[in-house]
Amino acid sequence: MFQKILIANRGEIALRVLRACKELGIQTVVVHSTADSDAMHVRLADESVCIGPPPSRESYLNIHQIVAACEITGADAVHPGYGFLSENAKFADILAAHNITFIGPSGDHIRIMGDKIEAKRTAKRLGIPVVPGSDGAISDDKEAKRVAAEIGYPVIIKASAGGGGRGMKVAHTEADLEVALQTAKSEAGAAFGDDAVYIEKYLEKPRHIEVQVFGDGAGRGVHFGERDCSLQRRHQKVWEEANSPALNAEERSRIGDICAKAIADLGYSGAGTIEFLYENGEFYFIEMNTRLQVEHPVTEAITGIDLVHEQIRVASGGGLSVRQEDIKFTGHAIECRINAEDPRTFTPSPGTITHFHTPGGLGIRVDSGVYSGYKIPPYYDSLIGKLIVHGRNRVECMMRLRRALDEFVVDGIKTTLPLFRDLVGNPDIANGDYDIHWLEKYLAKGE
Ligand code: ADP
């Protein structure tokens, strides 16, 4: 087991990882920018190292400084959290070259999944169902037209180097295709420095369903069920559930088993999430994230397994603590992402939190790094906390969520809490009847 882990992140996830390290009796080092000296995880860590000014590229993305902090403090492993360097293959390689363990998969696996065309090809080879489309990058209009005619309109053009929902264009007819292709290519070139694009069938009313997987790096793979993250705004997840209200037990174990086997065959190590669009009973792979996800607590709630403990255990060579048959799903969980944003316009609302009171009681978990008097810096993501509620079934979970949202107080800044208070009373949400476009339509109506 590791003696000392350096946490290369900030905010709620830094605190989340720190808690897991403490429970395992591992010393903690946190790195932070000058804007985060007052953060809760900095106060609670055994050691902290200031690695630079507020802009992320000079601090949380500064590989040189982070490696130096590991060497100064004698950390033997790094947990990258999510975002920042968590899916940076070069970072994983550099740490390996310094004999520091990256708590995550190998640089090569990160690289494969970071390239969407390569990821899709790999998924297909491993027996994961994918969206019908071009077999690799599209070279010209003629090829695009041929592929689109084959799979049928509408189609979506996506950037191979894509991320964050950028560089995607939908074409409804052949007449739209040329313009869509040109726009997608130039946006991809500008955003990612790589204008390779590919085409796939555009699914009109899918749900976003993702499977949590784990590999031990030695040929064993397990799945921890799925999460439904269909409630999104601009491709950003807002509300997540486990399990999905749309799946039955047979579908759950079918897709889970396919994913667990793929992870085993890949020789993958650590936590990963295989993301699908789901429509009319079919799953279509869109991407794999090679890290812990923001929404991992809903999976922890229904399985009772600490996924960060599991990551640390696997990375230290201790293997998985569970076999597939040990993983049981109990009840239902929902997570609401609480952002420091206006609940209608989603404009960021940094500033000082004058009063912070979190709900409590059975089945309630709040993961947050903020406190009364804390000043939210304007430089980073606006996520300030996550409310995770667990109940014996979805109805109980929703009742408890409504009560928890009533108790939650955040004064001094605007937050997305009022949006969740509206959503929890909506009949479609109550019925679990929504797809990936539901939230944007709801917000456009201004209900
Ligand atoms: P990114 O890495 O940029 O987030 P993804 O491939 O994960 O890109 O897709 C992001 C979102 O775009 C999906 O959650 C979905 O809303 C939409 N999307 C992607 N592919 C398709 C498709 N084939 N049909 C319909 N919507 C899609």
Side-chain angles (χ1 to χ4, degrees), residues 4 9 16 33 38 49 58 71 90 99 116 170 187 199 204 240 364 391 443:
K4 199 187 261 191
N9 215 299
R16 161 75 188 91
S33 74
D38 289 339
V49 181
E58 293 173 52
E71 299 206 315
K90 194 173 117 199
N99 283 324
K116 294 179 146 250
V170 178
E187 276 185 20
I199 293 192
E204 312 230 31
E240 300 102 343
I364 307 287
L443 293 168

Side-chain angles (χ1 to χ4, degrees), residues 116 120 131-132 154-159 161-168 170 192 198-208 229-230 232 234-237 275-277 279 284-289 436-437:
K116 294 179 146 250
K120 201 172 165 187
V131 192
V155 298
I156 184 166
I157 300 156
K158 298 168 78 172
R166 284 177 304 169
M168 288 190 283
V170 178
F192 312 111
Y198 62 105
I199 293 192
E200 59 189 30
K201 176 105 190 125
Y202 180 70
L203 303 166
E204 312 230 31
K205 288 185 175 171
R207 297 180 78 110
H208 173 116
C229 316
S230 302
Q232 302 184 357
R234 298 202 177 156
H235 303 304
Q236 300 295 316
K237 297 164 188 165
E275 297 193 336
F276 295 94
L277 295 177
E279 195 173 68
Y284 302 96
F285 171 86
I286 46 171
E287 68 171 344
M288 175 168 177
N289 293 320
I436 60 169
H437 304 297

Side-chain angles (χ1 to χ4, degrees), residues 421-443:
R421 293 186 186 119
D422 289 345
L423 289 179
V424 80
N426 184 284
D428 288 348
I429 302 296
N431 295 329
D433 183 14
Y434 53 81
D435 62 31
I436 60 169
H437 304 297
W438 189 93
L439 184 61
E440 295 213 345
K441 284 190 202 143
Y442 170 84
L443 293 168

